DNA sequence: ATAGATAAGTTATCAATGATAAGTTATCAA
DNA sequence: TTGATAACTTATCATTGATAACTTATCTAT
């Protein structure tokens, strides 16, 4: 049964093209994480979808968590893009804050796994830090900092709001914390308890939005 | 090396005393979940700590998740006690809501590990729902309803508030969700990122308290 | 061309884990 | 004292993340 023994379309990458395989892995991992969640996604299924053996993934990623973290940064980069977009297209400082909250909440609900990982935390077995692995390909973009960046942007927006003459009930960073905590509460709740009969999503997002903005304005 | 062959202090429970073993398991599981997290806690380690074999746990719990759920309800129960206490001692409807939020936040910050376990829901593998297991001992207290209970209480408080003549911006259950999400956002943030330079705790709690109450009142 | 170096990938295998099957032993009621 | 059964045990699975050790394709320098 060795029909067509040669030219069997080996998926092997040429020299120097390993990074494309790395991106194929990320793509497959992303699909599976989103389809079935992090825990339910196995290394083998990712490898199957890519079309390589399971250990091949370890040529490009330290471990399973590293794949998720890489995806997180990739995805959070898009959120930061959106925020930058808002800053570039919206001039009114208060409207900027509003749009930030909206983009943030929507992003969280569209990417629950990434959101959980970065903002809800500790989902991944980080406690067991192993040593002595290899991880031959060192990726330049250190993962795991996307979350703090987003928050920093919100603080900046609220400082601008205050600088524009709007009186706040708290210092800008406290306002940012309260705004973020409120919206985060909505997103975290809906992500972590999706089976609970929450009220309408849009109503809750807009409601919290209104509440925190009313609450920080003097 | 069979010294003292008899009367070897078998840990075996007498007939009808199985429920005490169940509680021993819960205690051990709780300790380990809090020490090392859900994923890092193995069935075998729980069994070791209790002093029984691993499969013995399956006499009392359907699976690992069921232990977690039972612990969740246990903790929810303690919070519900406090809420009942407030209902019995405070008569003013708005003050009741305020006290609810205060008790809730304080409960979370006084028991950060348990709060994390219950409300942040570290890592319950919700996606993979299995079927066809056995679970021979049917425990009377069906797990997994504690969260709904807390909300029911808060909804009731807000319904009473509305009934007392106070106009709300949203239906009582939506108000309850928004209130809870706001306070939860504060507690969850401070618990999960304790190293972050948050503003003053009391300020944030009181601030969010004020914000959500102002926000739901017309 | 071709031999050495090495990127890219394989097969075989681990230990750990959640869970089940099937057998054992202590306890109690009749 | 016996039969039922609650309360276990030992043995065993399949699956999982991860590693070791080997193979093969591709590029470079001679």
């Amino acid at each position: 049964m060795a029909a067509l023994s040669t030219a069997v379309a080996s998926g092997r990458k040429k020299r120097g093209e390993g990074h494309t395989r790395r991106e194929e892995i990320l793509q497959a991992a992303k699909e599976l994480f989103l389809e079935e969640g992090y825990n339910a996604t196995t290394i083998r299924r990712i490898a199957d979808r890519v079309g390589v053996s399971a250990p091949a993934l370890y040529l490009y990623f330290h471990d399973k968590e590293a794949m998720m973290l890489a995806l997180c940064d990739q995805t959070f980069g898009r959120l930061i893009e959106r925020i930058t977009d808002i800053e570039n297209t919206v001039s009114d400082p208060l409207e900027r804050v509003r749009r930030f909250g909206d983009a943030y909440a929507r992003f969280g609900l569209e990417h629950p796994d990434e959101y959980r990982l970065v903002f809800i935390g500790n989902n991944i077995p980080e406690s067991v830090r192993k040593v002595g692995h290899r991880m031959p390909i060192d990726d330049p973009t250190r993962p795991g900092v996307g979350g703090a960046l987003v928050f920093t942007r919100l603080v900046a927006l609220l400082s601008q709001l205050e600088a524009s003459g709007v009186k706040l009930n708290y210092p800008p960073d406290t306002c940012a914390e309260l705004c973020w905590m409120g919206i985060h509460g909505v997103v975290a709740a809906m992500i972590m308890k999706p089976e609970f009969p929450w009220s309408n999503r849009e109503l809750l997002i807009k409601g919290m939005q209104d509440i925190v903005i009313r609450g920080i304005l003097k």
Side-chain angles (χ1 to χ4, degrees), chain A residues 122-175:
Chain A
N122 284 355
N123 225 342
I124 303 298
E126 19 71 43
S127 62
V128 192
R129 291 280 170 212
K130 291 147 209 157
V131 287
H133 287 232
R134 36 196 194 139
M135 183 65 180
I137 292 182
D138 54 321
D139 62 308
T141 58
R142 253 264 309 169
V145 292
L149 250 169
V150 171
F151 185 78
T152 304
R153 295 296 265 270
L154 179 58
V155 174
L157 288 185
L158 286 163
S159 295
Q160 291 164 20
L161 181 61
E162 191 181 43
S164 78
V166 175
K167 295 294 179 192
L168 301 178
N169 280 324
Y170 313 92
D173 53 342
T174 304
C175 285

Side-chain angles (χ1 to χ4, degrees), chain A residues 3-17:
Chain A
L4 267 294
S5 62
T6 59
V8 69
S10 147
R12 191 186 185 113
K13 295 291 176 185
K14 304 247 160 131
R15 278 206 173 184
E17 295 301 316

Side-chain angles (χ1 to χ4, degrees), chain A residues 68-129:
Chain A
M68 182 53 122
L69 283 174
L71 283 171
C72 283
D73 275 8
Q74 192 174 287
T75 310
F76 272 88
R78 302 224 312 275
L79 174 58
I80 290 172
E81 272 177 34
R82 285 200 207 175
I83 294 169
T84 304
D85 222 50
I86 289 169
E87 287 172 344
N88 288 339
T89 57
V90 179
S91 56
D92 179 52
L94 184 55
E95 182 62 15
R96 278 187 175 182
V97 175
R98 203 176 276 279
R99 295 280 292 276
F100 175 100
D102 203 60
Y104 182 94
R106 230 155 280 285
F107 175 87
L109 295 171
E110 281 167 15
H111 308 283
D113 290 304
E114 288 96 331
Y115 190 88
R116 243 168 63 183
L117 191 69
V118 170
F119 284 112
I120 302 181
N122 284 355
N123 225 342
I124 303 298
E126 19 71 43
S127 62
V128 192
R129 291 280 170 212

